[in-house]
Amino acid sequence: MSLAPRQLPASRKLVLASAQDRRAIENSAIEHLVRFIDPGVPDITLFRNTFPLLAIAFSNETEAALKTTLASIRRLKTIPEISLLRLDQGNSERDFALIQALLSGGVGQLASFSASIASELTLLRREREALLENYRALEDAFQAKNWEPLTEAFAHDPYVDPKDEGIGQLLSKSFIDQLLPVSSHGVAGIALHMNFVPKSAGELCVTLSYVESDETIMEWIVDYKNLVAEWNYFSLSRACGGSAQTLRLRVSTSGSETIGLSLGYPIASERYTIRSETEHPDLDMRPLAFRVYTGVPGVAPVLTPNMIAPTDVSDAPRIQNYHLPVDLLKQTADVSVRTVIPDFETVNFLEHENALMCHPVPGGITAGAISGALEAGTVSVSVSAIIDHPEGRPAAVSILLAPANEDPRPRVEEAGRSGSNSPSSVFSGWRKVGPGNPVNINIQLDEPLPGPMNLVVLSGAIGDSVDFSWLKISDFRIAKQAVSLAGRGKTHVQQ
């Protein structure tokens, strides 16, 4: 019985072997599956059309050479562990037949499938990088136009009339409606003012809908414990888009105690006064005390203090992108590790550029630690670096993450050792930067940070000279998961 089923395409290599063993493998049943490696050269180009599952050797010398290559592949952590088989030339034909039968069967098909997934993943990563760059360009365009991400479009301030009875009892038995005197286009959230919030259990129900179609846009069901006796911000998951329509706000409550929902100053237009199916003396020509906020249509609004997420959005996390605050950059601490202390300042904050200067020096690593820069939930960090002098010498630059409660100097020293250039989940790897074009350095995390961490920027000298090597690091961008806690209108507070 033959052990040789159909052959896999010759373009897919599944076996690694040393070029010194080429003569023993030529014209064999597995020759079309073998990628030959030059001795002692762990060349990354071998992965082109290659998904190695097995390595074979016929001598101690070729076995040692392959072990070196496999060790370099293992550090990349992109493919499964590769087994190394030592074969005897006297039984090579039988061994070749067994290997060919194994790899041309289910294992080979699985390898082909895995290789296809790996190729598609690479394409997806490239598309993701292009998408992030497009978002970055769009954000830069917004900043260049001085467009605010969230602006107040209308406001009715709270007003207390001495004759007011309060509409708390009305809210617990019925509801009130308030038409908003703004177009729906771009509306990203509203704010309601409370003059009193009970400590007992209860809920406030707020519904935003279109008048023309009676379609509900968003609903917020909020526990009293998540409200404050001031302005409370109710955020839409995305700013309203489409054609301009009229918006209606409906408010009601439930609970043993009444809530102090504030009213505004009396107005002349009856259309924009609050209405209810139940008569009440305080409803006479009075609107609610409310504010309306607008943003970019179809885009999720930024977070604000006491922001309340809608109850009809999913629990899936959305990504919040922001720049590091200037106050944090100003507090950058010098945590350099070097043998000679220079007579000039190497880490300092550039006041008018919102950037850090991190001047490299020979014989060590210049580093600045931004304490508490990264909050829990952070998924990526990105910075831009350039030598800010036309005659500046090139330097090496990187960033790393350090625990908030530890001295970052041991990690800085480890990053400066030779052979530590491989990027990781907490280290970007070293990049060369010169005076020509800025380079982007980033860290992408597989999982969101469970707690706060420090961000450390590092620079090192490439040659003997660091003349005019004014390394400027700016554009500190953070991406963080902002989880919408649906169901009970929980708040998200951004300091």
Side-chain angles (χ1 to χ4, degrees):
M1 180 178 66
S2 174
L3 290 174
R6 65 177 179 86
Q7 290 188 347
L8 289 176
S11 60
R12 183 63 49 76
K13 306 298 183 180
L14 304 178
V15 181
L16 299 182
S18 173
Q20 294 178 335
D21 290 332
R22 184 186 296 271
R23 182 173 298 178
I25 300 174
E26 286 181 339
N27 301 321
S28 68
I30 65 169
E31 180 185 7
H32 65 290
L33 300 176
V34 178
R35 172 73 70 184
F36 292 101
I37 309 300
D38 292 332
V41 180
D43 192 358
I44 299 302
T45 59
L46 66 92
F47 285 101
R48 186 174 300 168
N49 299 321
T50 301
F51 193 83
L53 301 177
L54 189 66
I56 58 176
F58 288 89
S59 66
N60 293 335
E61 182 182 0
T62 57
E63 182 179 357
L66 282 176
K67 285 182 178 179
T68 301
T69 301
L70 295 182
S72 66
I73 295 174
R74 193 176 300 115
R75 286 196 297 268
L76 297 177
K77 299 180 180 179
T78 56
I79 57 177
E81 188 76 16
I82 302 173
S83 300
L84 175 60
L85 296 183
R86 177 68 179 272
L87 303 181
D88 184 4
Q89 291 190 4
N91 299 321
S92 60
E93 289 300 327
R94 183 187 65 182
D95 294 337
F96 289 158
L98 289 171
I99 293 173
Q100 196 264 351
L102 176 65
L103 298 183
S104 297
V107 174
Q109 295 174 10
L110 181 61
S112 299
F113 181 66
S114 300
S116 299
I117 292 178
S119 299
E120 292 176 4
L121 181 60
T122 301
L123 293 176
L124 286 175
R125 285 176 174 170
R126 291 174 182 172
E127 292 295 330
R128 180 178 180 273
E129 290 297 326
L131 182 62
L132 290 177
E133 286 300 322
N134 290 338
Y135 275 123
R136 181 192 294 258
L138 183 61
E139 184 179 358
D140 291 340
F142 271 67
Q143 292 178 349
K145 295 288 185 180
N146 292 322
W147 289 340
E148 293 293 336
L150 198 65
T151 57
E152 183 181 299
F154 187 86
H156 263 311
D157 292 331
Y159 169 70
V160 178
D161 191 311
K163 302 187 298 293
D164 284 348
E165 298 180 7
I167 59 173
Q169 291 291 343
L170 172 63
L171 291 174
S172 62
K173 298 176 181 178
S174 182
F175 60 85
I176 60 171
D177 285 344
Q178 170 75 64
L179 292 185
L180 303 186
V182 296
S183 164
S184 65
H185 190 70
V187 170
I190 52 104
L192 295 177
H193 190 274
M194 310 290 172
N195 54 62
F196 169 73
V197 176
K199 296 183 179 180
S200 61
E203 290 181 338
L204 175 73
C205 179
V206 180
T207 304
L208 185 66
S209 60
Y210 293 121
V211 173
E212 289 80 1
S213 62
D214 203 31
E215 175 189 354
T216 298
I217 304 171
M218 288 290 164
E219 183 180 43
W220 299 264
I221 302 176
V222 192
D223 290 335
Y224 284 168
K225 64 182 179 181
N226 292 322
L227 297 172
V228 292
E230 54 178 285
W231 288 105
N232 294 268
Y233 298 84
F234 299 80
S235 172
L236 278 70
S237 57
R238 293 188 180 278
C240 294
S243 59
Q245 299 187 59
T246 307
L247 294 174
R248 178 177 56 222
L249 199 64
R250 176 165 292 183
V251 184
S252 62
T253 64
S254 64
S256 58
E257 290 189 51
T258 59
I259 194 168
L261 183 63
S262 300
L263 301 180
Y265 285 84
I267 59 175
S269 175
E270 186 177 353
R271 174 177 172 81
Y272 295 109
T273 58
I274 51 178
R275 301 176 184 179
S276 176
E277 59 184 2
T278 304
E279 293 185 0
H280 192 281
D282 288 357
L283 303 187
D284 186 26
M285 306 305 290
R286 300 283 296 277
L288 281 176
F290 69 92
R291 294 174 178 174
V292 181
Y293 294 87
T294 57
V296 181
V299 176
V302 298
L303 299 183
T304 59
N306 300 328
M307 189 202 81
I308 300 171
T311 58
D312 58 346
V313 299
S314 67
D315 289 334
R318 65 179 177 90
I319 300 299
Q320 175 199 3
N321 296 278
Y322 62 96
H323 288 82
L324 276 187
V326 175
D327 292 342
L328 283 178
L329 294 178
K330 289 181 177 179
Q331 299 173 10
T332 302
D334 191 339
V335 292
S336 303
V337 176
R338 52 204 171 201
T339 55
V340 178
I341 299 178
D343 57 359
F344 58 90
E345 192 174 12
T346 57
V347 177
N348 61 307
F349 173 70
L350 304 178
E351 184 72 34
H352 300 292
E353 301 183 60
N354 295 341
L356 296 179
M357 184 66 72
C358 192
H359 200 299
V361 296
I365 300 296
T366 302
I370 309 172
S371 179
L374 307 180
E375 301 177 0
T378 298
V379 293
S380 72
V381 185
S382 170
V383 302
S384 178
I386 191 172
I387 298 297
D388 199 24
H389 191 284
E391 299 180 4
R393 305 300 299 170
V397 60
S398 65
I399 58 176
L400 65 82
L401 311 186
N405 56 352
E406 292 183 10
D407 184 355
R409 287 179 177 83
R411 294 177 181 267
V412 172
E413 185 177 7
E414 181 181 356
R417 295 176 187 147
S418 59
S420 62
N421 188 40
S422 299
S424 67
S425 60
V426 295
F427 179 57
S428 66
W430 290 99
R431 293 281 303 277
K432 181 179 179 180
V433 58
N437 297 318
V439 298
N440 291 320
I441 302 101
N442 61 78
I443 294 176
Q444 303 286 338
L445 301 172
D446 295 331
E447 297 291 338
L449 288 182
M453 294 191 77
N454 298 336
L455 176 62
V456 186
V457 296
L458 305 90
S459 69
I462 292 180
D464 296 332
S465 173
V466 290
D467 293 343
F468 305 108
S469 192
W470 300 344
L471 176 59
K472 183 174 72 176
I473 303 173
S474 61
D475 201 15
F476 291 80
R477 297 171 182 260
I478 311 297
K480 185 181 72 171
Q481 282 190 357
V483 182
S484 294
L485 301 177
R488 295 297 92 187
K490 298 187 179 180
T491 60
H492 313 293
V493 179
Q494 182 183 8
Q495 302 296 334

